[in-house]
Amino acid sequence: MASLNCALEISGLRKSYGGRSVISGIGFSVPAGACFGILGPNGAGKTTTLRCCLGLTPPDEGKILLGGHSIPDGACAARARVGVVPQFDNLDPDFTVNENLLVYSRYFGLKKAEMRQRIPGLLDFAGLTDKENARVEALSGGMKRRLTLARALVNDPDILFLDEPTTGLDPQARHLIWDRLKQLVAQGKTLILTTHFMEEAERLCERLIVLDHGQIVAEGNPHELIASQIEPNVIEIFGENAVAWAKARRALCQRLEIAGETAYFYCKDTAPVREALDKERALHSLHRAANLEDVFIKLTGRELRD
Ligand code: ADP
């Protein structure tokens, strides 16, 4: 039985490619009206999970309820109430901004007259009012992303899937997208997003999962995860012989991590490390609160994933 206050419910989801498991029996649920994050390193299974949810990739096993519809059988009905912002903009370069919205609305069987009424509002939301007759190729990267977001809203969806919505954008363009996504949540829409930007997840998501190797390695509210999974303070130390210096003072903190030439002291109390640092002139340090990126690195490691 579908829970009315759940936008998405997944249980026992499995998917293999060529005998290799890429989703290993995961389950989670997304409350309606929440912004929910799916985080994970490259290859963790984020896009495959999204594709299964949308009925684009058939799972090997598992149950998916999207907006109360069982996927993949009910994917068509579910997608009528869903918007998608794909990882790479796939706008039609031959059409203007306006035409891109019109053409896309036809997939939902929306009437041209109805769309003509709705388009000004969508363009205003996307900050593209003065670009309605511009060709897509004349738009900046940020404008294209905003147009893709506006396009995902043509059917006034209840649930929006966003696959890395701000990848490749500069900070100004990213902040503008964040602002718009917050507006959508304030309107009561459910957002399900994948991201590599921990700051993005920390700012936007009420709940998130961290996927690694097709498994959920953490789930919760970002601030609760920071409080429960990691020491509250970090002192980063770099400079001449910083790593050797840090290794010799391992006992001054709860946890020490080394990445390249930088040592990370994870501490409850920073005083012992700060006192030791006072005597050193050749070392540089940065004191900060632990953040979601620290949690992510602790859970998924520092090795590169390609
Ligand atoms: P993420 O989005 O977290 O980077 P993906 O879901 O795209 O991860 O991919 C998870 C794993 O599944 C990767 O190892 C990827 O190479 C593999 N994979 C994804 N799609 C296919 C496919 N169509 N055929 C074979 N392997 C795939």
Side-chain angles (χ1 to χ4, degrees):
M1 175 81 180
S3 161
L4 281 178
N5 48 21
C6 261
L8 174 68
E9 289 181 88
I10 293 184
S11 57
L13 184 68
R14 289 183 187 278
K15 180 73 188 173
S16 296
Y17 286 112
R20 191 171 66 91
S21 172
V22 297
I23 302 289
S24 308
I26 65 170
F28 61 90
S29 56
V30 178
C35 180
F36 187 91
I38 302 178
L39 277 53
N42 279 340
K46 303 181 294 294
T47 303
T48 305
T49 303
L50 288 196
R51 287 184 60 83
C52 288
C53 292
L54 291 166
L56 302 172
T57 293
D60 299 336
E61 276 178 48
K63 266 182 73 175
I64 302 171
L65 280 177
L66 175 60
H69 299 277
S70 178
I71 305 294
D73 296 350
C76 257
R79 282 214 294 264
R81 303 300 313 137
V82 164
V84 180
V85 176
Q87 195 169 340
F88 301 104
D89 289 324
N90 55 357
L91 298 160
D92 196 322
D94 298 325
F95 290 143
T96 64
V97 166
N98 217 329
E99 288 164 346
N100 263 279
L101 297 178
L102 267 179
V103 168
Y104 198 73
S105 69
R106 284 193 209 137
Y107 298 122
F108 297 96
L110 299 170
K111 298 210 164 54
K112 211 169 177 176
E114 186 188 340
M115 273 317 290
R116 290 223 182 277
Q117 282 196 331
R118 280 179 47 70
I119 282 177
L122 291 171
L123 291 177
D124 181 48
F125 177 78
L128 292 171
T129 301
D130 56 345
K131 297 284 176 193
E132 67 175 324
N133 295 315
R135 292 174 81 80
V136 161
E137 57 200 6
L139 302 181
S140 68
M143 289 174 184
K144 284 182 189 159
R145 282 268 89 184
R146 284 179 348 246
L147 177 56
T148 305
L149 179 58
R151 193 187 62 173
L153 297 170
V154 292
N155 56 329
D156 192 22
D158 303 319
I159 305 169
L160 211 56
F161 284 86
L162 305 115
D163 198 357
E164 297 186 24
T166 63
T167 294
L169 299 186
D170 65 24
Q172 287 85 351
R174 184 172 299 153
H175 277 268
L176 197 53
I177 294 276
W178 288 346
D179 175 66
R180 294 304 188 267
L181 297 184
K182 281 182 191 161
Q183 285 185 30
L184 293 173
V185 174
Q187 289 169 19
K189 296 192 188 299
T190 306
L191 269 49
I192 298 163
L193 66 94
T194 74
T195 183
H196 284 300
F197 295 111
M198 297 302 125
E199 189 192 346
E200 180 162 293
E202 215 175 311
R203 279 168 183 258
L204 296 178
C205 298
E206 286 161 50
R207 285 189 72 75
L208 57 86
I209 55 169
V210 180
L211 272 185
D212 198 15
H213 303 295
Q215 290 181 328
I216 295 175
V217 293
E219 175 168 9
N221 169 275
H223 304 290
E224 287 169 11
L225 285 174
I226 295 166
S228 66
Q229 297 274 343
I230 201 148
E231 303 75 11
N233 303 296
V234 188
I235 303 183
E236 296 183 22
I237 297 175
F238 43 99
E240 211 182 318
N241 292 325
V243 168
W245 185 89
K247 282 181 174 168
R249 287 156 186 83
R250 163 77 191 76
L252 299 180
C253 66
Q254 273 65 48
R255 206 159 51 81
L256 174 68
E257 280 199 27
I258 307 293
E261 301 293 300
T262 306
Y264 297 78
F265 283 92
Y266 287 94
C267 322
K268 281 187 189 143
D269 175 12
T270 58
V273 180
R274 284 190 286 116
E275 274 164 29
L277 270 173
D278 277 347
K279 299 174 203 122
E280 303 296 332
R281 291 285 160 258
L283 293 176
H284 304 285
S285 65
L286 172 72
H287 304 204
R288 60 175 176 82
N291 57 35
L292 194 59
E293 187 150 319
D294 295 305
V295 175
F296 185 86
I297 297 274
K298 183 183 174 199
L299 293 170
T300 63
R302 290 187 183 269
E303 288 147 53
L304 269 186
R305 311 290 177 88
D306 293 317

